[in-house]
Amino acid sequence: MLVRINAIALNTFREAIRHRILYLLLIFAVAMISFAQILSLLTVGSEEKIIKDFGLATIDVFGVLTAVFIGIGLVSREIERRTVYTLLAKPLHRFEFILGKFAGLSITLLVNTAVMTLWFFLVLLLKGAFDGTLALAVLLLYFQFLLITAMAVLFSCLSTPILASVMTLALYVIGHLLWSLDLLAARLTAGWGKFLCRALYFVLPNLGTFDIKGEVVHGLPIDGTRILWAAAYLVLYGSAILWTACAVFERKELQ
């Protein structure tokens, strides 16, 4: 099973690195990180903190865009090209196909994130503002990218690429605003409204779990359990999403 999943993953990685949009997003990300130096001179505040904050935000945004724009086509593109029929005609289970696609894009995101991070660290070194704790923030951002990738794969199995991209980006925004539901639930009196807010808070992806940019930029202490909880949340929630994607694709009628 692992051999077949690895084969699909490597093939997916080779296909992903041929996408022009991948290099376009990477070029824009590198340009934006470089622009942080100019922005820090035009903005009131600590120059180092602005560069760090802007650089991490750039890695966040372009990493998510990479996960979405490449992830949404992983399944639908194979169906449109009818290559999925050739693959599934071989001794390959449908869930192995989905897991292989996810693993391939995960490798692509790892390389993409590494390139952006290395350039970001180079900019900081040239400014004499390098901080090793920034690596923790980037690690959690990569965890977030993996969760976004799992959602993109799921929506790719459910709908068209355009609708899948809209739903994935919507969940990304909602995931970072989920704290407002908890705040709303605390203000509501007991009833269906409070129950609904609580239910949505636990069902929807809480992407704030992976956001420690503020703590790192301002030099605040980071609890080690926060990193462990983020990893556990990724494994549990991400596994649930991938299991759902495999179940959906298993029942999907390929035409």
Side-chain angles (χ1 to χ4, degrees):
M1 181 180 72
L2 290 177
V3 174
R4 293 190 292 270
I5 293 176
N6 288 336
I8 296 293
L10 290 175
N11 184 63
T12 302
F13 174 69
R14 295 191 192 100
E15 288 183 0
I17 59 177
R18 296 192 194 108
H19 275 278
R20 294 179 181 177
I21 191 172
L22 177 67
Y23 296 99
L24 185 63
L25 289 172
L26 193 58
I27 291 172
F28 270 110
V30 169
M32 292 295 288
I33 292 173
S34 303
F35 177 72
Q37 298 186 70
I38 301 175
L39 183 65
S40 64
L41 298 175
L42 303 176
T43 309
V44 177
S46 174
E47 184 177 350
E48 294 181 5
K49 289 181 179 179
I50 292 172
I51 294 176
K52 291 178 182 178
D53 191 38
F54 193 79
L56 289 174
T58 299
I59 294 174
D60 184 3
V61 171
F62 284 93
V64 169
L65 291 177
T66 301
V68 171
F69 289 132
I70 296 181
I72 57 174
L74 288 180
V75 177
S76 59
R77 192 180 302 111
E78 296 286 357
I79 295 175
E80 290 175 0
R81 296 176 180 174
R82 297 188 176 275
T83 53
V84 67
Y85 300 102
T86 305
L87 291 171
L88 296 179
K90 299 178 181 180
L92 177 72
H93 296 289
R94 290 195 178 195
F95 77 89
E96 293 173 340
F97 175 77
I98 294 297
L99 294 180
K101 288 293 182 181
F102 172 77
L105 184 52
S106 299
I107 298 172
T108 306
L109 282 169
L110 179 62
V111 174
N112 190 64
T113 304
V115 172
M116 291 189 292
T117 302
L118 288 174
W119 183 259
F120 178 44
F121 285 172
L122 178 61
V123 171
L124 290 174
L125 281 171
L126 293 175
K127 295 291 294 185
F130 178 76
D131 184 358
T133 57
L134 290 169
L136 287 177
V138 174
L139 175 63
L140 291 193
L141 286 178
Y142 179 66
F143 287 173
Q144 176 188 249
F145 300 156
L146 294 180
L147 196 58
I148 294 294
T149 300
M151 290 189 287
V153 171
L154 172 59
F155 290 135
S156 181
C157 296
L158 287 170
S159 60
T160 62
I162 295 177
L163 187 57
S165 62
V166 171
M167 290 190 292
T168 306
L169 288 173
L171 274 184
Y172 167 72
V173 175
I174 292 171
H176 279 285
L177 298 176
L178 209 58
W179 57 269
S180 59
L181 276 178
D182 192 36
L183 184 62
L184 179 60
R187 297 194 173 204
L188 292 174
T189 56
W192 284 105
K194 188 180 185 70
F195 173 78
L196 181 61
C197 288
R198 289 295 186 187
L200 289 175
Y201 182 80
F202 288 106
V203 171
L204 294 173
N206 188 357
L207 299 182
T209 305
F210 308 105
D211 188 4
I212 59 171
K213 294 192 293 292
E215 291 90 331
V216 170
V217 170
H218 293 90
L220 301 176
I222 301 172
D223 190 355
T225 56
R226 177 92 181 263
I227 309 297
L228 294 176
W229 165 244
Y233 186 82
L234 169 64
V235 171
L236 294 174
Y237 200 97
S239 297
I241 295 177
L242 285 177
W243 180 87
T244 305
C246 291
V248 169
F249 191 65
E250 193 72 32
R251 293 167 175 78
K252 188 178 181 66
E253 293 185 6
L254 302 177
Q255 299 177 352

